[in-house]
């Protein structure tokens, strides 16, 4: 993972934790036990950005995909108003690895197979992270996660990225309603793929749209689908898609 793929922001000031608590999907108090995976949503409950929060003394580091960083920084700056919060960019690089978590690193809270994330100059391990993501159906910002995503449809509950007891945050009402009052009809799932398809290629079956296929590895792919349209005879371009 090169420094160009992730950006680390630092949030400091006396209001940092209450400020974040009122914005993000997860419980910021979990920082007392390590890294927190979370997201910022729109008021309509749709995805804006997912990121990691890391304890840094009285401050909090925020690890986000570089592509999403400018928009996230703008949104946070808009929300902070007169709060005692300072947001700054850093030159901290992110490293990743498997095995025992080194000093200054944190276990990735999304899934045990994703190893650790480091912020203190640890050597980066050469790992096929896409293969690990596909194996555990882990979405990535800018690929499987987009502006039309609802976090429950893309697995945030399974990925320890949302808390239903913490109280209000931006988009909380829609998220809670999806949790308690509806059955998910669409979402991410792992499918088999024979061949290959450009991420975002439409999956069709019997002339109807099933969804889209995204990251692929070793004959499997992460796909966003309508569950009631899954079945035999699915295609994504020239690739054949099948349920697992």
């Amino acid at each position: 993972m090169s420094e160009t793929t992730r950006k680390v922001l630092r949030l400091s000031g006396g209001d940092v934790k209450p400020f974040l608590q009122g914005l993000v999907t997860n419980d910021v108090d979990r920082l007392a036990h390590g890294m927190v995976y979370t997201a910022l949503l729109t008021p309509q409950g749709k995805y804006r950005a997912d990121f990691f929060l890391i304890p840094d003394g009285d401050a909090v580091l925020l690890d986000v995909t570089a592509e999403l960083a400018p928009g996230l920084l703008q949104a946070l700056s808009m929300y902070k108003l007169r709060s005692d919060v300072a947001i700054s960019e850093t030159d901290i690089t992110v490293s990743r690895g498997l095995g025992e978590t080194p000093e200054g690193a944190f276990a990735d809270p999304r899934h045990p197979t994703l190893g650790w994330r480091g912020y203190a100059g640890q050597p980066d391990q050469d790992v096929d992270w896409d293969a690990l993501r596909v194996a555990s159906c882990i979405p990535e910002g800018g690929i499987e996660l987009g502006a039309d995503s609802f976090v429950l449809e893309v697995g945030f509950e399974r990925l320890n990225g949302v808390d239903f007891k913490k109280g209000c945050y931006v988009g909380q009402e829609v998220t809670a309603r999806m949790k308690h009052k509806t059955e998910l009809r669409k979402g991410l799932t792992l499918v088999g793929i024979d061949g290959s398809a450009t991420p975002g290629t439409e999956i069709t079956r019997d002339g109807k749209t099933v969804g889209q296929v995204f990251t692929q590895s070793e004959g499997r792919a992460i796909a966003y689908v309508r569950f009631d349209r899954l079945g035999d005879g699915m295609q994504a371009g020239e690739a054949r898609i099948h349920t697992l």
Side-chain angles (χ1 to χ4, degrees), residues 9-209:
L9 308 177
R10 176 177 280 110
L11 285 73
S12 58
D15 294 335
V16 166
K17 290 182 180 178
F19 166 70
L20 288 169
Q21 190 75 299
L23 290 180
V24 303
T25 60
N26 214 337
D27 186 355
V28 175
D29 289 341
R30 295 183 183 183
L31 284 167
H33 306 290
M35 175 187 288
V36 173
Y37 179 59
T38 190
L40 178 67
L41 309 181
T42 68
Q44 295 75 34
K46 292 191 174 183
Y47 169 92
R48 292 186 74 163
D50 65 310
F51 42 88
F52 300 90
L53 299 176
I54 304 100
D56 183 42
D58 292 332
V60 176
L61 299 180
L62 189 157
D63 166 6
V64 64
T65 301
E67 179 183 356
L68 298 174
L72 178 60
L73 181 58
Q74 182 180 35
L76 293 174
S77 298
M78 177 189 71
Y79 277 122
K80 79 181 188 73
L81 300 175
R82 296 183 179 180
S83 299
D84 179 15
V85 177
I87 307 169
S88 59
E89 300 185 42
T90 77
D91 58 2
I92 295 172
T93 58
V94 182
S95 55
R96 298 181 67 183
L98 302 177
E100 184 176 352
T101 303
E103 185 176 354
F106 299 84
D108 192 316
R110 295 174 296 174
H111 197 278
T113 61
L114 295 179
W116 51 263
R117 304 176 72 87
Y119 302 89
Q122 296 89 350
D124 205 24
Q125 293 183 7
D126 185 13
V127 174
D128 187 345
W129 295 106
D130 275 349
L132 290 179
R133 285 205 307 110
V134 170
S136 299
C137 199
I138 310 292
E140 178 104 346
I143 305 176
E144 291 85 14
L145 303 178
D148 289 329
S149 299
F150 290 102
V151 289
L152 296 191
E153 290 184 346
V154 294
F156 256 61
E157 186 172 7
R158 173 175 59 87
L159 300 175
N160 303 308
V162 60
D163 187 282
F164 296 102
K165 298 179 180 180
K166 59 164 283 185
C168 294
Y169 56 87
V170 177
Q172 180 264 343
E173 184 176 350
V174 175
T175 306
R177 189 183 309 126
M178 291 184 72
K179 166 69 173 175
H180 298 294
K181 296 186 178 181
T182 63
E183 181 178 352
L184 295 180
R185 298 180 179 180
K186 298 183 288 185
L188 290 184
T189 191
L190 202 59
V191 298
I193 182 167
D194 299 324
S196 63
T198 303
T201 297
E202 184 179 70
I203 303 171
T204 60
R205 176 179 179 246
D206 298 332
K208 295 181 179 180
T209 297

